[in-house]
């Protein structure tokens, strides 16, 4: 095997990095995952994820984790309501008797990020993940890499895989290509005990998902298994909006006043999302890597997930692409068809580039039309419905 007697360092312990670690360990590889979080409990994990038949679920199947997934996913959490800014419902999957099942290529079961991460962590050999490992520098030493962490630790690895997200520290060692701004900014929030703190929205949500479009803006809401909800407000904004707005996003009153002005034509029900106390707001300008990005494969370093192909969330493909990256890279690195690691990496990267060119285009198209005056009408057409 190409990785025999090689130390593999995966930088980043998100779904992509952990899936890759599991798949490589099943093949006998010596893998460590270096994660900046101090422990598995330190950070609240974000919104629910819908895994797709041809990517996320396929990776879990290859990883031998479908039984664990079935035990942790949330049936009916994928049921969607499409609404307008006035809170009128135009499409309602709650009225359907069934939404498919495993084996159906259109079945996209939902799982919270926390349980997915725990499931993957529990599948790894003891001490695979090295917590509190925030990378500060990377240096090439002949055929190996020296990794230095903020806590003062240093390790040597033969192969580096950057799975460290949108602000990847590994990507500059692979390519100078940078992302571009999509034109849309998102404000993310989480409300604990939604039944108490967002009663009206929670009643409409019914444990599923809401996608509301109107006035060239969006609000998406997802229920979580712990009784909380996550939401994302998206709107067209200048690239410098975040710094020019002057909003202190730790000041919830300021954020509420901004929402009332920005979403002035939206029904008062949506105010619940911004009136709840203790909500932590995180602004996220949406960037995307160039769809035609390409680089020459290196002998012992590559990228997966957002580090490789950052894109907005409006096609639901981010985690699925990352997990499929993990599957295809693991297959390449453990294949007998390649004479060296560079060739294996090149094979994986060719597949990744081609996939991203297609899915990235779909994502950008969705991002643009959903934040246009005809966003609701176009979304309904995607679901086989037509507005008068």
């Amino acid at each position: 095997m190409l990785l025999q007697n090689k130390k593999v360092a995966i930088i980043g312990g998100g779904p992509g990095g952990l899936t890759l670690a599991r798949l490589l360990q099943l093949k006998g590889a010596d893998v460590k995952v270096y994660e900046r979080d101090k422990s598995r409990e330190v950070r609240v994990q974000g919104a629910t994820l819908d895994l797709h038949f041809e990517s996320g679920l396929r990776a879990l199947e290859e990883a031998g984790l479908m039984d664990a997934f079935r035990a942790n996913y949330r049936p009916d959490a994928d049921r969607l309501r499409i609404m307008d800014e006035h809170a009128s419902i135009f499409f309602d999957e709650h009225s359907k008797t069934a939404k498919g099942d495993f084996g159906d290529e259109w079945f996209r079961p939902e799982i919270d990020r926390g349980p997915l991460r725990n499931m993957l962590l529990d599948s790894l050999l003891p001490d695979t993940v090295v917590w509190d490992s925030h990378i500060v520098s990377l240096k090439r030493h002949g055929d190996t890499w020296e990794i230095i962490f903020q806590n003062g630790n240093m390790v040597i690895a033969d192969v580096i895989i950057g799975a460290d997200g949108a602000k990847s520290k590994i990507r500059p060692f692979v390519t100078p290509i940078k992302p571009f701004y999509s034109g849309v900014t998102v404000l993310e929030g989480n409300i604990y005990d939604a039944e108490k703190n967002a009663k009206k929205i929670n009643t409409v949500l019914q444990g599923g998902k809401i996608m509301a479009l109107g006035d060239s803006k969006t609000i998406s809401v997802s229920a979580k298994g712990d009784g909380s909800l996550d939401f994302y407000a998206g709107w067209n904004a200048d690239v410098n909006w975040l710094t020019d707005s002057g909003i202190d996003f730790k000041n919830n009153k300021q954020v509420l006043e901004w929402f009332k002005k920005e979403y002035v034509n939206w029904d008062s029900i949506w105010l619940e999302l911004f009136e709840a106390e203790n909500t932590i707001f995180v602004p996220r300008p949406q960037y995307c890597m160039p769809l035609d990005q390409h680089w020459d494969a290196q002998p012992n370093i590559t990228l997966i997930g957002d580090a490789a192909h950052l894109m907005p969330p409006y096609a639901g493909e981010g985690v699925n692409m990352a997990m499929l990256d993990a599957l295809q890279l693991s297959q390449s690195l453990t294949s007998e068809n390649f004479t060296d690691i560079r060739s294996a990496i090149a094979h994986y990267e060719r597949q990744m580039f081609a996939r991203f060119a297609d899915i990235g285009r779909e994502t950008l198209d969705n991002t643009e039309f959903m934040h246009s005056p005809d966003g609701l009408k176009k979304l309904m057409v995607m679901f086989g419905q037509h507005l008068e």
Side-chain angles (χ1 to χ4, degrees), residues 140-364:
R140 190 190 293 274
H141 287 283
D143 295 332
T144 64
W145 292 93
E146 177 188 86
I147 314 170
I148 298 176
F149 300 99
Q150 200 171 65
N151 60 15
N153 291 343
M154 184 274 287
V155 297
I156 300 294
D158 299 291
V159 180
I160 299 281
I161 293 112
D164 51 339
K167 298 180 180 180
S168 172
K169 297 286 186 68
I170 306 303
R171 185 176 172 95
F173 291 89
V174 176
T175 176
I177 300 171
K178 297 183 181 300
F180 63 91
Y181 179 55
S182 71
V184 169
T185 287
V186 163
L187 186 61
E188 175 186 354
N190 177 271
I191 297 177
Y192 290 96
D193 194 359
E195 187 174 3
K196 173 185 176 183
N197 297 314
K199 292 181 181 179
K200 294 178 182 178
I201 290 289
N202 192 64
T203 298
V204 177
L205 192 59
Q206 289 190 5
K209 303 169 79 74
I210 292 172
M211 175 58 74
L213 299 88
D215 199 25
S216 299
K217 299 175 177 63
T218 61
I219 292 179
S220 58
V221 189
S222 299
K224 295 177 67 175
D226 62 1
S228 69
L229 63 80
D230 277 300
F231 66 91
Y232 301 84
W235 69 99
N236 295 305
D238 184 83
V239 66
N240 297 316
W241 179 88
L242 187 56
T243 53
D244 292 345
S245 70
I247 298 171
D248 177 3
F249 290 96
K250 295 181 179 179
N251 185 325
N252 287 18
K253 290 184 178 179
Q254 281 191 27
V255 177
L256 175 60
E257 290 306 309
W258 163 82
F259 178 75
K260 288 179 178 178
K261 294 176 183 178
E262 183 68 35
Y263 283 69
V264 64
N265 296 321
W266 285 58
D267 188 88
S268 60
I269 189 176
W270 307 108
L271 290 174
E272 276 192 329
L273 299 173
F274 293 83
E275 291 173 335
E277 295 182 2
N278 302 319
T279 299
I280 297 174
F281 294 102
V282 182
R284 299 188 186 280
Q286 296 300 302
Y287 283 82
C288 187
M289 294 299 175
L291 303 185
D292 61 351
Q293 67 173 356
H294 183 273
W295 55 80
D296 292 332
Q298 295 195 45
N300 56 359
I301 187 169
T302 189
L303 307 166
I304 67 171
D306 284 351
H309 43 65
L310 178 66
M311 55 185 167
Y314 293 102
E317 291 286 356
V319 71
N320 287 286
M321 284 275 282
M323 294 173 75
L324 185 53
D325 289 344
L327 175 59
Q328 292 182 339
L329 179 56
S330 69
Q331 290 173 334
S332 292
L333 290 175
T334 59
S335 171
E336 300 297 329
N337 297 327
F338 304 106
T339 57
D340 55 42
I341 293 174
R342 185 200 295 267
S343 300
I345 288 175
H347 179 72
Y348 152 71
E349 289 179 345
R350 283 194 295 271
Q351 296 176 85
M352 180 268 290
F353 292 143
R355 278 191 288 110
F356 173 60
D358 290 337
I359 293 176
R361 170 50 56 199
E362 176 188 349
T363 297
L364 288 176

Side-chain angles (χ1 to χ4, degrees), residues 38-108:
K38 292 188 181 297
S39 72
R40 66 192 290 171
E41 294 87 11
V42 72
R43 186 160 51 100
V44 174
Q45 298 298 301
T48 58
L49 304 166
D50 61 314
L51 297 192
H52 301 175
F53 176 82
E54 72 284 356
S55 49
L57 292 177
R58 180 182 162 201
L60 291 181
E61 185 76 45
E62 292 293 327
L65 295 175
M66 283 305 297
D67 286 344
F69 179 80
R70 287 186 177 94
N72 284 278
Y73 91 105
R74 293 176 48 235
D76 296 333
D78 57 336
R79 291 183 181 270
L80 171 68
R81 279 181 162 162
I82 297 176
M83 307 171 69
D84 68 4
E85 68 269 40
H86 308 300
S88 298
I89 298 173
F90 287 80
F91 181 78
D92 188 2
E93 291 183 329
H94 290 276
S95 62
K96 295 184 178 181
T97 56
K99 280 218 67 197
D101 204 344
F102 293 97
D104 176 356
E105 65 177 308
W106 299 111
F107 180 55
R108 295 183 169 184

